[in-house]
């Protein structure tokens, strides 16, 4: 997902800059700064923000490898137990990848994680009724 | 028969020695003080061990069976939420542990009882669905131990590496849920279950769900997902599917009948098949128990958007068991649809009006929150809570009886 930073939205996510610009020391404030150079900035900065559900790369690797292996195993003899075992491994790894994605989604808020362990601190107090 | 047990020192850590307080479910734990006189001759040699004999000394065990990728984790989260508290992996342990622990509930994944790890299964050409890849003896021993209130060292199967990791300590909880592919396969384990649920997903819906799950994954394609399902199907049909005849409740998910020719799997027809004649479980019904009802709530009082909602309720036979089937086809769009439907269902075991709706809203980001899957999972969760309370009350009554005598 590519977003141009020159838009008005101020996202809390740290943007990963594709084109490194070492001559600009105040990059983090650049988004909030007005609009005079907006045109110039827009052209130069295309920010690639990872889309929310993204599998950690090592699991993703494992999934693609296991798919290749399964296709090889079944190319010879589709009825054999090895073919079933290979596809079962693909299924297992896909499930693990999906869980990892969900975990990433839920673990994304550091305040949430802190408050889970320390609900009595001032930042984490909730008054429900 | 008193359910109090005197724990010898080694396993004392597994017994709850707490000051009497009302726990979240409102039960007072009765305290009995035992004097163990090791040295009978010396007066000072008496050691007082205060053992809490609670009516819930014996754990209630629930079994949940489903194929992978079929919503077990969502069900688990809903279930633990009904009992209160969030279920978390054990703190400080193996980060790849499959266990979830909350205040009242512990959820064990039966994959931990694999006897063959991933390489072992590949060498032998067996899938994880095959009973040969699972250690049912260990499963039975440990579930029995937990049910009797003894802590166990349960192995961990690491889904990422595919290896069996060193064991973790599991303390007996009030409610133990065992979820996986084979909770009802072994007859001995089946005997230990107080309630069992089977999630039966039809092939079309399974395919649609797996596409949703895997299509974003690099390397997967439509063909690979299809091949994966088909390669596992023979083992699934032979070993996993027959478990549904033993289940006390089956949640069957089928494609909708409201939209002709729909194959997206977005709108679902969900059937809750409940066994009749069980001791602590009274099936949910619509309007009149035992009769056949077909109900479309959308009309003058309630406006629904396309494709609407359709309910059906009827008695039936399922694998030669007497059952009642409650069925929902369609989707909820708004809060008032949900509350309207809830007010017309009976025997929900809710503690207050609107509890089902509240639970559904609490987890509105979970998949299935707008259709029968979420609704029936929530209802089953409430039924399990009711079953647990009945069992505990029964045991408390038995203890009281024994005390009188």
């Amino acid at each position: 997902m590519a977003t141009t930073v020159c838009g008005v939205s101020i996202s809390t996510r740290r943007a990963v800059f594709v084109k490194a610009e070492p001559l600009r020391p105040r990059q983090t404030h650049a988004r909030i700064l007005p609009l005079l150079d907006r045109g110039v900035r827009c052209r130069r900065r295309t920010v690639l923000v990872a889309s929310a559900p993204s599998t950690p790369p090592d699991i993703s690797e494992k999934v693609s490898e296991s798919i290749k292996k399964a296709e090889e195993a079944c190319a010879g003899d589709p009825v054999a137990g090895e073919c079933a075992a290979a596809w079962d491994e693909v299924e297992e790894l896909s499930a693990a990848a999906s869980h990892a994605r969900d975990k990433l989604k839920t673990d994304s808020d550091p305040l949430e994680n802190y408050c889970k362990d320390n609900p009595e601190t001032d930042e984490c107090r909730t008054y429900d009724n | 028969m008193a359910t109090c047990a005197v724990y010898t020192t080694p396993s004392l850590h597994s017994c709850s020695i707490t000051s009497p307080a009302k726990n979240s479910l409102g039960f007072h734990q009765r305290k009995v003080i035992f004097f163990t006189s090791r040295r009978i001759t010396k007066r000072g040699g008496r050691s007082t061990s205060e053992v809490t004999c609670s009516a819930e000394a014996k754990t209630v065990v629930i079994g949940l069976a489903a194929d992978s990728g079929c919503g077990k984790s969502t069900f688990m989260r809903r279930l633990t939420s009904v009992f209160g508290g969030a279920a978390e992996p054990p703190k400080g342990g193996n980060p790849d542990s499959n266990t979830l622990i909350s205040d009242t509930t512990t959820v064990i994944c039966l994959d931990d009882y694999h006897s063959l790890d991933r390489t072992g299964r590949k060498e032998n050409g067996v899938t994880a669905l095959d009973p040969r890849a699972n250690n049912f003896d260990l499963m039975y021993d440990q579930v029995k131990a937990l049910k009797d209130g003894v802590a166990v060292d349960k192995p961990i199967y690491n889904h990422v590496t595919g290896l069996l990791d060193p064991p973790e300590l599991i303390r007996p909880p009030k409610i133990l849920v065992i979820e996986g592919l084979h909770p009802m396969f072994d007859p001995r384990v089946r005997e230990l279950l107080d309630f069992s649920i089977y999630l039966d997903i039809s092939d079309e819906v399974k395919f649609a769900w797996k596409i949703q799950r895997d299509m974003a994954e690099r390397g997967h394609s439509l063909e690979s997902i299809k091949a994966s399902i088909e390669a596992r199907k023979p083992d699934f049909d032979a070993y996993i599917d027959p478990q549904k005849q033993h289940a006390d409740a089956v949640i069957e998910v089928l494609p909708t009948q409201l939209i002709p020719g729909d194959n997206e799997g977005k709108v679902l027809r969900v059937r809750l098949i409940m066994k009749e004649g069980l001791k602590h479980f009274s099936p949910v019904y619509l309007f009149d128990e035992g009769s056949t009802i077909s109900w479309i709530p959308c009309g003058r009082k309630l406006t629904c958007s396309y494709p609407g909602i359709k309910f059906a309720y009827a008695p039936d036979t399922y694998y030669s068991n007497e059952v009642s089937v409650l069925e929902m086809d369609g989707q909820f769009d708004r809060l008032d649809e949900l509350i309207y439907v809830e007010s017309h269902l009976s025997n929900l075991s809710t503690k207050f009006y609107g509890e089902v709706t509240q639970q559904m809203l609490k987890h509105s980001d979970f998949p299935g929150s707008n259709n029968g899957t979420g609704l029936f999972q929530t209802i089953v969760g409430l039924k399990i809570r009711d079953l647990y309370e009945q069992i505990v009350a029964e045991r408390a009554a038995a203890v009281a009886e024994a005390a009188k005598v």
Side-chain angles (χ1 to χ4, degrees):
Chain A
M1 185 177 89
T3 49
T4 42
V5 186
C6 56
V8 187
S9 64
I10 300 170
S11 76
T12 51
R13 209 179 273 274
R14 284 198 74 94
V16 175
F17 292 97
V18 173
K19 291 185 189 155
E21 295 184 86
L23 298 173
R24 288 183 179 276
R26 297 186 312 169
Q27 285 180 349
T28 43
H29 297 301
R31 271 179 269 140
I32 312 172
L33 267 185
L35 319 155
L36 281 171
D37 317 7
R38 198 161 62 146
V40 177
R41 287 185 208 277
C42 284
R43 266 201 300 275
R44 282 199 226 165
R45 275 203 211 120
T46 309
V47 172
L48 267 177
V49 177
S51 43
S54 69
T55 329
D58 47 346
I59 302 184
S60 200
E61 274 302 309
K62 284 199 171 123
V63 174
S64 353
E65 268 173 43
S66 66
I67 296 176
K68 280 196 210 99
K69 270 190 261 178
E71 280 165 357
E72 282 162 25
C74 296
D77 184 359
V79 188
E82 275 137 34
C83 180
W87 282 117
D88 188 45
E89 189 184 326
V90 171
E91 169 60 39
E92 195 188 334
L93 284 167
S94 307
S98 155
H99 287 148
R101 274 197 296 267
D102 288 340
K103 238 179 125 188
L104 271 181
K105 242 195 293 185
T106 55
D107 280 352
S108 55
D109 189 355
L111 182 65
E112 208 46 61
N113 289 335
Y114 174 70
C115 288
K116 242 192 298 184
D117 296 326
N118 309 286
E120 71 289 346
T121 50
D122 283 337
E123 303 90 354
C124 300
R125 282 230 162 116
T126 51
Y127 300 91
D128 264 335
N129 49 6
Chain B
M1 188 192 77
T3 53
C4 301
V6 179
Y7 290 94
T8 54
T9 334
S11 60
L12 207 53
H13 63 273
S14 66
C15 182
S16 57
I17 306 177
T18 53
S19 49
K22 258 196 166 173
N23 64 17
S24 57
L25 290 168
F27 285 101
H28 286 285
Q29 295 184 317
R30 280 145 130 253
K31 251 204 296 198
V32 178
I33 300 175
F34 283 84
F35 288 90
T36 63
S37 42
R38 292 263 171 78
R39 284 158 266 172
I40 316 169
T41 47
K42 283 199 215 160
R43 287 201 121 235
R46 254 189 267 146
S47 54
T48 319
S49 52
E50 204 177 274
V51 178
T52 324
C53 290
S54 52
E56 54 256 58
K58 269 195 155 199
T59 311
V60 171
V61 185
I62 314 283
L64 174 63
D67 195 7
S68 79
C70 291
K72 281 198 300 273
S73 2
T74 317
F75 196 154
M76 282 303 105
R77 287 188 285 172
R78 283 194 206 274
L79 186 60
T80 43
S81 161
V82 163
F83 284 104
E88 308 255 313
K91 284 191 169 60
N94 189 333
D96 288 322
S97 163
N98 305 308
T99 314
L100 294 174
I101 300 185
S102 80
D103 304 323
T104 46
T105 324
T106 294
V107 182
I108 287 182
C109 177
L110 290 179
D111 285 348
D112 291 334
Y113 293 110
H114 279 330
S115 51
L116 299 169
D117 63 6
R118 206 176 285 157
T119 14
R121 273 179 275 144
K122 227 193 295 195
E123 279 163 18
N124 290 296
V126 294
T127 61
L129 306 158
D130 198 312
R132 285 175 287 167
N134 296 289
N135 187 347
F136 289 106
D137 293 326
L138 183 63
M139 192 193 292
Y140 169 66
D141 288 334
Q142 293 205 336
V143 175
K144 185 161 201 314
L146 284 169
K147 186 161 181 155
D148 291 336
V150 178
V152 297
D153 278 316
K154 179 190 64 71
I156 300 177
Y157 176 75
N158 191 320
H159 281 103
V160 179
T161 59
L163 303 166
L164 285 160
D165 286 347
E168 59 182 349
L169 180 70
I170 304 288
R171 296 201 171 80
K174 297 199 185 82
I175 298 158
L176 175 70
V177 183
I178 54 173
E179 56 114 348
L181 297 161
H182 305 96
M184 294 166 257
F185 186 82
D186 189 280
R188 300 168 295 174
V189 180
R190 217 183 297 148
E191 289 298 304
L192 295 173
L193 299 176
D194 292 298
F195 193 74
S196 49
I197 307 148
Y198 184 88
L199 288 179
D200 184 10
I201 319 291
S202 77
D203 296 330
E204 304 95 328
V205 178
K206 197 183 281 195
F207 189 37
W209 282 3
K210 295 218 167 156
I211 291 175
Q212 258 174 19
R213 186 190 73 178
D214 293 335
M215 268 316 253
E217 199 56 57
R218 189 170 48 96
H220 258 302
S221 62
L222 218 60
E223 292 79 26
S224 68
I225 297 173
K226 203 161 178 205
S228 173
I229 297 178
E230 275 168 18
R232 298 169 82 242
K233 207 163 179 347
D235 273 354
F236 182 78
D237 290 336
Y239 306 119
I240 314 297
D241 212 44
Q243 290 178 92
K244 61 188 183 194
Q245 57 187 301
H246 302 294
D248 296 324
V250 177
I251 299 182
E252 201 179 333
V253 184
L254 306 153
T256 183
Q257 288 178 331
L258 298 174
I259 306 174
D262 176 62
N263 60 354
E264 270 189 28
K266 293 264 164 69
V267 184
L268 298 169
R269 175 174 160 231
V270 190
R271 304 175 80 224
L272 176 60
I273 302 167
M274 300 164 278
K275 211 183 249 184
E276 286 284 355
L278 290 175
K279 199 168 170 207
H280 300 292
F281 175 68
S282 45
V284 183
Y285 65 89
L286 194 57
F287 176 55
D288 182 23
E289 210 170 355
S291 45
T292 306
I293 313 273
S294 172
W295 180 46
I296 298 176
C298 315
R300 284 200 203 113
K301 277 199 240 168
L302 185 71
T303 23
C304 318
S305 48
Y306 184 77
I309 308 172
K310 182 161 180 236
F311 272 86
Y313 167 75
D316 204 351
T317 15
Y318 186 75
Y319 289 98
S320 63
N321 292 318
E322 282 293 314
V323 294
S324 296
V325 182
L326 177 64
E327 183 182 314
M328 172 180 162
D329 197 351
Q331 287 186 164
F332 295 116
D333 278 319
R334 301 190 319 276
L335 170 65
D336 46 347
E337 289 172 13
L338 195 43
I339 196 80
Y340 189 81
V341 162
E342 182 182 347
S343 58
H344 287 83
L345 289 169
S346 313
N347 237 346
L348 284 172
S349 306
T350 49
K351 294 221 159 110
F352 52 85
Y353 173 69
E355 191 173 10
V356 174
T357 308
Q358 190 198 59
Q359 281 291 329
M360 295 273 284
L361 286 177
K362 206 160 124 183
H363 304 293
S364 51
D365 55 328
F366 286 2
S369 292
N370 65 342
N371 59 37
T373 48
L375 176 67
F376 291 151
Q377 285 176 3
T378 310
I379 292 177
V380 169
L382 295 170
K383 286 292 188 191
I384 291 176
R385 182 183 67 186
D386 182 49
L387 174 131
Y388 170 76
E389 286 169 1
Q390 284 185 45
I391 292 179
V392 167
E394 204 179 64
R395 287 187 191 147
V399 170
E401 275 297 310
K404 265 190 247 165
V405 174

